Amino acid sequence: MSFWKNLVGKFTTLIGQKEQVDWEAILIESDLGINLSQKLYSLLEKEKLLNRTDLAEKRIRNELIAILGNGNLSFPIGQPGVILLVGVNGGGKTTTAAKLAYKFKSEGKKVYLAACDTFRAAATEQLKIWAEKLELPVISAKEGADAASVAFRAYSQASQSQADYLIVDTAGRQANKKNLMLELGKIKKTLEKASGQVPLFVLLVVDGTSGSNVLVQAREFHEALGLSAMVVTKLDSSAKGGMIAAVKYELGIPTLFIGRGENLEALEAFSPEGFIEEFFSR
Ligand SMILES: Nc1nc2c(ncn2[C@@H]2O[C@H](COP(=O)(O)OP(=O)(O)OP(=O)(O)O)[C@@H](O)[C@H]2O)c(=O)[nH]1
Ligand SMILES: [Mg+2]
């Protein structure tokens, strides 16, 4: 049975002859976040749909479609267009860097990679292995090197080679670790300066199984860096994905891609309609 139908079943009680559905609980358990859940609940209440399960579901669907919009967002075009991947540990930044590089390369674009996770030697190594597999240039440095200077060097080389895209992988961090956030800010500033203030595309990569915590992460990274969009990984698992709508509703940040596995092809462009179908039928 789907998680949605499961929830509706779980939170429906029979009072006398009448079914009573606890919509608040259903919405919150779907990872839609408190504010969006409350908004949806008030809609149902106002429109007297609380006890009309099918109509209520339809109403929620329509509202979610309206919130998610028709994700018409494209990557920046520059010399090169810079995509900065940020997020907490293990969210899937390095894997997503490789998937994006693969996608651009398949479209005939010239791609450079920058290994700005200089905290762990293994992190640079991980990106290098992907780059080798993809036959793409990667700019890196030894462990402990200044990440912003790696970014600067990568930009210069990518620019000289007239690359279409520079994909910058960074170290995973908790948004409340101040120094790490400052370093990320420095990488961003350095790249903006190098590109003559062409805005970067700052892409937050989150683990879809983190549930409502994704909203917390998005808020913190957005405050510190200004996010352009989000990639939600690990949606090949049982993650519900409701946080995609929560983040769009509360912060206006769209989801651009979803990750569905560990291999290069497992990156899907996000579609609101596809998301809704899956959300209600999963
Ligand atoms: N199932 C699944 N696994 C994924 C997906 N994306 C990434 N992973 C796996 O998640 C783990 C962490 O991915 P990384 O790309 O190393 O994450 P990261 O954000 O770079 O991690 P740090 O550099 O430690 O911050 C790896 O084992 C990946 O193979 C996905 O969409 N689905
Ligand atoms: Mg990494």
Side-chain angles (χ1 to χ4, degrees):
M1 211 205 301
S2 83
F3 100 86
W4 177 261
K5 291 210 166 54
N6 236 335
L7 280 178
V8 175
K10 185 171 156 196
F11 291 108
T12 300
T13 38
L14 207 57
I15 297 180
Q17 298 281 50
K18 243 178 137 184
E19 276 193 340
Q20 200 143 51
V21 187
D22 185 350
W23 288 106
E24 261 170 331
I26 294 169
L27 294 164
I28 299 234
E29 294 249 338
S30 307
D31 287 344
L32 290 165
I34 289 177
N35 293 340
L36 178 53
S37 295
Q38 278 173 351
K39 179 202 160 83
L40 293 169
Y41 183 83
S42 340
L43 273 179
L44 300 183
E45 198 174 33
K46 207 171 92 199
E47 297 173 20
K48 303 197 170 19
L49 299 174
L50 288 170
N51 293 316
R52 309 185 65 182
T53 315
D54 283 359
L55 290 178
E57 182 181 313
K58 211 177 212 168
R59 188 67 187 86
I60 295 167
R61 268 180 194 251
N62 288 341
E63 197 57 28
L64 289 180
I65 286 270
I67 287 165
L68 292 166
N70 46 11
N72 254 342
L73 186 71
S74 53
F75 280 117
I77 301 179
Q79 275 298 334
V82 180
I83 299 160
L84 182 64
L85 299 180
V86 302
V88 305
N89 299 78
K93 292 175 294 300
T94 306
T95 312
T96 302
K99 289 176 179 176
L100 280 175
Y102 171 75
K103 171 187 147 59
F104 291 143
K105 193 186 169 184
S106 315
E107 292 166 0
K109 301 281 195 270
K110 191 166 183 178
V111 186
Y112 268 63
L113 288 159
C116 289
D117 183 350
T118 51
F119 276 91
R120 297 180 300 121
T124 294
E125 206 43 48
Q126 189 188 349
L127 192 66
K128 276 181 162 171
I129 290 168
W130 280 119
E132 204 169 298
K133 201 167 178 178
L134 289 160
E135 299 179 339
L136 289 175
V138 56
I139 284 73
S140 62
K142 61 178 192 313
E143 195 177 68
D146 176 35
S149 66
V150 179
F152 181 78
R153 207 152 38 83
Y155 187 88
S156 308
Q157 289 189 32
S159 171
Q160 264 165 33
S161 316
Q162 298 186 311
D164 296 296
Y165 291 111
L166 171 65
I167 301 172
V168 183
D169 185 27
T170 63
R173 64 203 72 213
Q174 299 303 327
N176 56 14
K177 291 245 166 77
K178 208 161 170 237
N179 286 342
L180 289 169
M181 277 320 243
L182 287 176
E183 187 208 62
L184 216 41
K186 194 173 148 202
I187 295 175
K188 185 183 175 222
K189 269 210 188 88
T190 302
L191 286 164
E192 272 166 354
K193 209 166 161 193
S195 67
Q197 304 304 329
V198 175
L200 308 187
F201 201 86
V202 185
L203 201 49
L204 177 71
V205 181
V206 297
D207 178 338
T209 63
S210 323
S212 54
N213 192 255
V214 164
L215 186 58
V216 178
Q217 293 169 26
R219 188 174 288 121
E220 285 174 350
F221 276 91
H222 193 45
E223 273 168 18
L225 297 162
L227 297 174
S228 312
M230 186 164 80
V231 175
V232 182
T233 65
K234 306 184 196 182
L235 287 185
D236 45 319
S237 67
S238 60
K240 301 159 196 152
M243 77 292 276
I244 291 177
V247 168
K248 180 77 196 307
Y249 175 68
E250 293 207 19
L251 305 169
I253 298 163
T255 290
L256 208 49
F257 290 103
I258 56 178
R260 292 237 195 241
E262 301 185 77
N263 62 323
L264 288 172
E265 286 97 1
L267 187 73
E268 243 174 58
F270 174 77
S271 120
E273 290 76 17
F275 167 80
I276 297 291
E277 272 322 299
E278 203 170 313
F279 187 79
F280 287 100
S281 69
R282 199 184 257 238

